[in-house]
Every structure is written in C-alpha cells, then in structure tokens.
Amino acid sequence: MPCTEFSPSIFTRPVYADLVSRGAAPAIMLADGDGAEALIDLVARDASVMEQAHVMFIPLATNHGARLKALGAPSYHESPSFAACLERFQKALADARMGTSLYLAGTEGLIGQAMALAVAAGLAPGAIQAEHRGSIARRMQCVHCKGVTEAVTTDPFVCSHCGLTLFVRDHFSRRLGAFQGVCVDAETPGIVPPTQEIQP
Amino acid sequence: MTSQMLRVAEVEVLTPLVKRFRFEHPEGKTLPLFSGGAHVVVEMEDGETLRRNAYSLISDPQDGSGYEIAVRREDRGRGGSRFMHTKVSEGDPLRVNAPVNLFALDLRARKHVLIAGGIGITPFLAQLRQLTRLQLPFELHYAARSRAEAAGLKLLPQAPMIQVHLSEEGNRLDPGAILAHQPLGTHVYTCGPEGLIVGVEDAAQRLNWPKDVFHSEAFLSPPPGKPFTVTLTRSGLTLTVAPNQSLLEALEAAKVEIPWSCRGGACGRCETEVRSCKGRIAHHDHWLEDAEKSAQTKIMPCVSRFEGEELLLDR
Amino acid sequence: MTMQFNDETFRDDYTYRNSPEAIRRFPFPFDQDSYMYSVNLEPHAGGREGTPFNKRFDVDEHYVSEMRDRAITLADDPLRCQSLPHMELAGWDFLELVMDSKAEDYPDLFSLTKDGDRWHWVNRPLGIEQRFTFLDPTTLPCGPLEYITRQTQGDHALLDQREGNLWMDAGMVTSQADWSLDFDVGMNFFEWHAPVPKAHEMGIFQRALKFLLALPLSKPSRRLNWTLTVNPRLDTSPENYHKWGPEKRTVTPENVGAKQHLRVELQTLWRLPRSNAIAFPIRGYLASMEDLTTLPKWGRRLHRVLRDLPDELADYKGFTVNRPMIVDYLSKFDDGVPTSAGIYPDETGL
C-alpha cells in the first residue's frame, strides 16, 4: 500500500510524501502499524539509511515487527503504544546532535504528536520527514476543553473528554499535531447534522 | 523610503583598505534601534551621480546614539566605496535610510554559529552584541588572510567563543570542523566571499544539516559592465545604462518610480517584468529562481545587466 | 479634557453603551455602498482629530471596562495569552512601543520615566504604578507581552519574520472574531488564514505578505476589518462558542436594533526594532444598529452593504441566520438617497 493521497482541499493539512533517504547519517525512525512498510520501502531504495538508525515501532495489531527488525538497525525497539514509547523517543531526541534525521511513518496521530515533540526538542522542521500509511482517522483537538480525541473517523463526532458534539474543521495545527473540533450545535443545542465518514 | 540626513561623527582607518564611519543625528536625536544583521543604504552625491550603497550596521543595535558601518574600498567597483574613502570626512552630512534586516538571527536557535570571511564580519559585529545582551549561546569564527588585512580584529572583543583564523599564520578556517558535533537546534550563519559561503554550505550538507538552519548573506554590490540600452514600456523612455551605473540607478536618474530596499539582489523589492528580451540578461541576484532566470521574464535592476539587441521592461 | 470611563459589562447583563460622542467617532468601515475583501492598507500616521485613527494606540471611554473583561477571560482561560520562548524580545519591543506612545499621546493618563534600563510606568486609569528593569522579565509580575496587553485595548499578535514568511508566535487574544490563539500559535501567514474563504484564490494573502515582509521601521500601516456580533460581547472565542452561540438565536424583529452590533477591527502593523518582528494589534469597536442608524448616511450604507453581500462572506462572518431580520430592520433607514464618498458621517464636525 503506497503513501496515502489526501484531497488537496485543506490549506493547513500537512502534505505527506514518500520518505527520502538522507544516507548513512544518524537517524531516529518512529513508525506505527502499516508505517513499518514505509520504512521497509525506504530501506529497499537505500539500505545505508539503517547504518546509524534507532528504530522504534508500535505494531497496532500488525505483524510487520519481524521484517522491520531484520533490516538490521543498530537499535530496534517495539512498544505497545505511543505512550509507552514516549520516554524512549524523548531520550533519543535529547541525545541527538545536529545532522540527525527523523523519519516518521504511519498514522496521522503518531506523525502529529511526534513532530510536535521533535520541534520542541530543537529539531529543525527540515530534518523531519513523514509518510502517512494506514488509517485515515484524524487526531482532533476540542477547541472548548482542549482535550485530544484520537482516531476520529466521523464528522461530527463526540469529544471523548467533555462530551460535546464537534464538527471537524479543516484547520490543522502542526504544533499540536491535530485538527480543530468545534461544537456543531452551539447555536441550536441538540440539533446535530447526520454523521458522515471522514473522507481522505 | 524613510531616510534622514545624518552627520559623519567619526572616521577611523581600520586597515589600509577599510574605514569605519559613525553617523549621528545633527541635533543629537536618538536614531531608531535595529536588530543584528540589519543594513542601511547610504546616499552619496558624487557630482551628477546619486549613488546608494547598502552597508551592514556594525554598532550596538541597542544604542540609538549613532549608526556605524565599515567600508572596504573596492577599486574595481562602481565608485561608491571609493567615494566613501576619498570624499567623506568628519562633519559631512550624508543621507542614510532607515535600517532593514534581511539577515536576522533566528531566535528559535539553541545555539548560533557565525562564520565570517573578510569584510563579511560586519553584520556579525552587531549580532554578537545582540547575542551577548540576550545571553544566548553562540560562537563566532572570523577568517582573514593576514593580520594586516583583518579589519575585524580592531572591532571584535576578546572572548573564548570568538575565534580568529588567519590563513597567513597557518590557521585556516575549516567549516567541517566547526560544524561537527554541534547540539540539536544549532543555526549557522555565514557572510563573506562566495567561496566561504559555498564551503560552509557544502560542509553543512555533508553533515546532513537541514537547509532551514543555514543562513547566508553574500556581500553583493552591483557589478560594473558594458553599457546597454533598455526601453521602458510604461514610461515610454529609452535609457542607456553606463558601465559604472546599475540599471536601477539609471532608472532613478531618469526619475522612473521604482521600489527598492537592499540594492544587492536579495530582497526582491525592485523585481521587474521583462516584456521582451532579444539577447542575454546577466542575472547577478539571489532572489529569482533558476527557472525564472533562464526564462528571462524577470530582472532585478539593482544588480543585473543585459547584453544584446533589445530589452523591454514593464516600468 | 479628562476622559470619562464607563462602568459597563461585556457579558451577562451587557450594560455596554456608547455615548453620542463614541458613536460619532466610531470607525465605520464602509467607504462605499458595497463591500469586498481587499488588502486596503494605508499608513497609520494620524488621522482627523477625535477619530480612532488620530493616536497610535487609541484609548476611549470603554478602556477600563474592557481591561476588566480581559482579566475575567484570562482568569478563566490563561491560554488566551501565549508567547513561544523566542518571542520574549518582541514582547519587550512591543511593551516599549505602547508605553512610549501612550505616555506621549495621553500625558494626563500615562507616564513613563526611563533611567537607562530602569523604567517607571504609571497608568492612572487602571491605578497601576510599576518600577522595572527593561529586558529583565523577573522585574515584572508576568511576561512583557501579557503585562502591556492587560493595559491595552484590542487583541494583539506578534509575528516572527523568517524564511520569507510571518509566524504568529505570540499573542493576547480575548476578544476575537472566532479564532483560537491556542490553536493558531506557531502557524505561518497562510496557515492561520486558511479558514478565510475566497481571499486565497484572489491572491490577497500573497500580496499582503509581500507588503508586510517589507514593512519599514517607524512607518506603521493600518486597515479596517468588520463582522457582526449579537450583544456587545468581547469574548466571541471558539473556546466559548458553546456558551455564547445560543445568544445568536435570541434576535427578534423587536430587539434586533439593540442586540445586533457591528464589530469593527482597526488593525495596525508595526515593525519592531530589536526583534525585527511585526506587532499586529487588532483593536475592536462595537456599535449597535440603533447606534449606527442615528447617523443617516451610515444607516443607508449599512443597509446596502449587508443586503448585497455575497452569501459566502455572510456565512464566514457568521450572520447568515439573522441576515433577513437585520436587512429588514435597516431598510427602514434607507430612503434610496445617494451617499457621499468616504467613511465619515455627513453630520459631524469630524
């Protein structure tokens, strides 16, 4: 499955392309689910990219782990969730020097959160690449309570924190790694439009 | 343009080729503060010719009591630096435009590495005062051929994070060694001869630094060249650009309205549409994309010239 | 003349009122009988005596109450004021700009004494006296941007300039027309304007950005923008939309004149010296339909503008649902007589 192609309608939506190898330089690689295949494809294009790589993988019920490990990175680690991986990812960023590349692959939720952390750690946006694979679910920030609801596939949806019904605004914050959710029935409480599946 | 008449308060010979000038308000008024890396455009009335040259400010950005610049005499240039060296003395009035910054520090950086060659030290002199005041981590490397030619030596403070590299004394600047092992979040800035800038850029690329942390300012003044003729479609004028004149100066001499700021091919303000071009534009700017340059549909009159039969501009 | 400050509220019982003088000096945004987006920037270099364009940072009868409303909003949601770490210098630049301007333009209300970096600031309307060291944040009760914008009407954004773009990296935003600083902080010029319809295709933002990147020192610019608001509410934030949204449906033909307000933003743009950032104050003014129609030229023109506005813009400005009622109300003040050019009313000495 290739890199997901999204409709070009949203100005702030990040544009994802295929990962491009920056050669045998120090690299942090973080993938979830089918994002593993993006890393496997990257290595097929340039095997040297793994020479100094620190690979972190969150399987999300896929079985790509063995193939990913076999790519031979000096450091390979699997975590059951992003939360479980967080400390390790942040330590890798703290240890990094200039010249380190960050490769992200997988869901928009993983990419958004990891990118925000990396920029906060001092990594330049130009040193970060991201390729989207797998679920087109969105990571949504509720503009009212500020809680983030992961893996949103419908519009409108219910905020998992405050319970308001939110519509999905086509407005993406790279800093938060999330789209904006706004109360859909603010003016007419209780009158909610029919639920639709989110399109890519 | 916002400009004011200032008085030359000091002239100091730094080296045989470089002089420092200090400008103050004639009534002692405070001048607008600026940010490190900013330049001013100085206007010189040289006989019939009005020259406008851009110079980086080297004085303390927090100090509005005066502006200082350092000018290297370029005998093969169009005459601006020669004018400053031979015709400007203490007490003279000179028109100076408000500071503009096209080479600002990126204040997000965790560390700033400044690499200067020769007269390219000028923007960094103001930046290092700003960095010191803000207590931000930095290191500065200054390369010159010899002690005698190094105008910066008189202007740089003694400090462990300031290193001087004199090639004559066998201490050549090595960009690769400087950039290796820098902490995450470092930005690098370079100013000086093209060779130095390319050298730093190559080293940064080799070490896998992303483009967005590399900043450079080529010290660009309009090169002289053969005279050429240009026709202006809107004003209906045909002008001849003299060997020691830029196209922008020729337009100004003919009273054609045209915006400008850096006069060095970097800011994009004077970008002009080419209506017809039978010949070859010598693009000297850092503003237009390569594709735009080869298409010959745009020109930067501040630095670029023309050779050929006909050049029609939308002015 | 000493200014009188109103004691009024912008929420709950909404006691906000404009004096006849405040109505006359209202920055009416329409210079002709129709409206479309434009960059419409002009130099912010004074204006007619008594108008909001005259001073660098206008102070009016609503000052004290507006600052009280801001404090309430901030107590409820401190994220309305944010500054990314690299923007502190720009915050100091802005603090100096505002203090210098207010002390010079309103010497009876504000004073600033500088002894090198040791400064002494007095704000008489708010009863504030502060001695502090310029560029030393430990000598102020909060960051420089928050400190000065708790004392300055309007929302304020500080834009960092780099990579040929502007980045909204700091701000104080408590009276916005439906945008969230917390969400938009860190975005570039095109990103934070993404939800605005039409203007992208028109190339408006490319042209505006080009102009702003070249904004010179000491030469500020200004433009007007507008929207409609039900009730004189400052906090029309997306954060609290579920709280104020229902009020939009309380408009009736009987109360539309009093409840429906025109909200005008006087936006100014300033190049900041030390940081090379741009300050973007967005100063809001509110007037009800009843207020505005006391001046016949404005009544006629407002009717024509709102009647003929493209649907998309009415949607974006959020008044589609009340539009028929508003236009119907205003039609009573439009006798079809031609209006004079320019924004000023015909009847005043302004």
Side-chain angles (χ1 to χ4, degrees), chain B residues 233-249:
Chain B
T233 54
R234 269 191 277 162
S235 23
L237 294 172
T238 297
L239 310 172
T240 300
V241 182
N244 273 330
Q245 195 181 33
S246 70
L247 171 54
L248 176 61
E249 287 166 339

Side-chain angles (χ1 to χ4, degrees), chain B residues 1-2 32-36 61-62 67 98-102 104-109 130 133-134 187 212 268-269 271 287, chain C residues 85-87 89-90 93 96 117 133-136 160-163 169 210-211 213-214 216-219 272-276:
Chain B
M1 292 303 137
T2 47
L33 302 184
F34 58 96
S35 47
Q62 314 282 328
Y67 290 155
V100 171
N101 200 341
L102 300 171
L105 295 168
D106 189 326
L107 294 175
R108 294 172 307 162
Q130 185 181 354
R133 174 75 205 244
L134 298 174
H187 280 237
D212 40 350
R269 289 279 280 165
E271 182 181 302
W287 173 255
Chain C
H86 62 281
M87 295 305 282
L89 182 63
D93 268 334
E96 181 186 41
D117 284 338
T133 306
F134 189 68
L135 291 183
D136 180 355
D160 194 25
Q161 179 160 337
R162 55 177 200 269
E163 296 164 18
D169 286 347
K210 205 172 163 184
F211 176 88
L213 291 174
L217 274 173
S218 325
K219 290 269 174 186
L272 298 175
R274 298 171 184 79
S275 58
N276 201 41

Side-chain angles (χ1 to χ4, degrees), chain B residues 255-274:
Chain B
K255 306 265 182 276
V256 177
E257 281 279 325
I258 177 165
W260 54 266
S261 175
C262 76
R263 306 181 79 86
C267 76
R269 289 279 280 165
C270 66
E271 182 181 302
T272 298
E273 298 280 334
V274 174

